[in-house]
Amino acid sequence: MLKQIYFDTMAVMEELGEKAKLKPGQIVVVGCSTSEVAGAKIGTGSSPEIAEQIFAALQEYAKAHGLYLAVQCCEHLNRAIIVERAAVPNAEIVNVVPQPKAGGSLATRAYCCFSDPVAVEEIRADAGIDIGLTLIGMHLKKVAVPLRLEHHQIGEALVVAARTRPKFIGGARAVYREDML
């Protein structure tokens, strides 16, 4: 089962990279409930072993494509983000170290495996995957565009993905009301 989780995660990342047209230097945020992957209710069965397989696939894909990973902690840490310091050079760092049952197993794994990990309260990622419906939307740039993935499950957890695009402001078809100027 654990190796299948690795392969499922890699398939999700490959499809995200292709559909989101990710480029080197971009940030991908990942939220994950290892409990949901294992078939349990979110927050009830944190699994470092599952996190190890998921993180291995995420990190392998990210390194091969020059991407930064940003891993969301659980609500016990206010959904803080664990990320490499190089990805957020001017961000305000917060003082927290995630644990499997206080931050989540995947965030704990990221903190242990990144070369220079930091925690930040928020980030504006270019794309993201949500494993187990953990709600990553608050960490995506505006405007988030949902992606329909063929690979929409890792273990027992549903996977939702998104990319972002720049906002459309004004343009040739923009209509302005005189009373609003």
Side-chain angles (χ1 to χ4, degrees):
M1 176 187 158
L2 288 175
K3 268 300 173 198
Q4 189 59 48
I5 289 170
Y6 170 89
F7 293 124
D8 290 347
T9 304
M10 186 59 79
V12 166
M13 281 302 291
E14 288 170 349
E15 191 174 355
L16 174 71
E18 180 184 317
K19 288 186 174 179
K21 298 178 175 62
L22 294 173
K23 296 172 182 59
Q26 289 188 308
I27 299 172
V28 176
V29 65
V30 179
C32 176
S33 168
T34 57
S35 302
E36 290 278 335
V37 173
K41 182 180 169 200
I42 194 168
T44 62
S46 192
S47 171
E49 297 80 17
I50 288 174
E52 181 179 349
Q53 295 301 310
I54 291 171
F55 187 79
L58 295 172
Q59 188 174 44
E60 182 180 326
Y61 184 88
K63 282 187 176 186
H65 293 86
L67 302 170
Y68 288 109
L69 285 178
V71 179
Q72 178 180 272
C73 296
C74 73
E75 76 275 7
H76 294 104
L77 297 183
N78 299 322
R79 302 201 191 288
I81 294 289
I82 306 302
V83 66
E84 291 280 9
R85 186 182 307 270
V88 290
N90 299 315
E92 184 176 342
I93 306 304
V94 296
N95 189 12
V96 68
V97 177
Q99 302 299 310
K101 294 186 187 278
S105 288
L106 189 63
T108 302
R109 185 72 183 174
Y111 195 90
C112 292
C113 292
F114 284 157
S115 61
D116 189 12
V118 295
V120 296
E121 285 188 276
E122 61 186 13
I123 200 164
R124 293 289 171 238
D126 301 288
I129 59 172
D130 188 328
I131 305 165
L133 307 178
T134 60
L135 302 176
I136 61 163
M138 65 192 282
H139 294 300
L140 291 170
K141 289 178 182 175
K142 296 178 183 175
V143 171
V145 179
L147 294 174
R148 288 198 178 269
L149 300 180
E150 289 179 34
H151 300 93
H152 57 273
Q153 200 164 342
I154 296 175
E156 298 298 315
L158 294 175
V159 175
V160 178
R163 66 174 177 82
T164 60
R165 66 157 176 81
K167 295 187 232 179
F168 294 128
I169 304 294
R173 295 188 179 257
V175 177
Y176 300 98
R177 290 180 26 202
E178 291 238 347
D179 61 342
M180 297 297 287
L181 297 177

